[in-house]
Amino acid sequence: MDGHEAEMTWSRAGAATIIIDHTAVPGALRGRGVGQALVRRAVEDARAEGRRIVPLCPFARAQIARHPQWQDVLEG
């Protein structure tokens, strides 16, 4: 976006679990909902694929906690 890249790193833990371990948004994009959009996409993908999410990344964990409608994909 606007020449900047945001990122989320994740890995699979077995056939049904995704571990989100990192998100990064450059300062130029902060406050524009970019990080939230990354987490939302992970939630949507997990739902579509029948997977669960373990949010080890503090940002992802906080975003999922703030959105009750995303709680259904949490592992555990």
Side-chain angles (χ1 to χ4, degrees):
M1 177 181 255
D2 297 335
H4 301 281
E5 288 188 23
E7 70 177 13
M8 172 184 287
T9 60
W10 55 272
S11 60
R12 289 191 177 161
T17 304
I18 297 169
I19 298 170
I20 299 173
D21 56 15
H22 176 71
T23 56
V25 176
L29 299 179
R30 293 211 174 135
R32 296 172 66 180
V34 174
Q36 181 179 336
L38 290 172
V39 177
R40 180 184 321 111
R41 177 62 186 262
V43 168
E44 291 169 355
D45 288 351
R47 281 186 186 137
E49 298 170 4
R51 299 182 192 276
R52 310 290 281 172
I53 294 177
V54 175
L56 296 183
C57 166
F59 178 81
R61 184 174 39 249
Q63 285 299 309
I64 292 171
R66 286 187 193 122
H67 294 87
Q69 68 275 25
W70 295 353
Q71 305 285 313
D72 62 303
V73 297
L74 282 178
E75 178 68 40

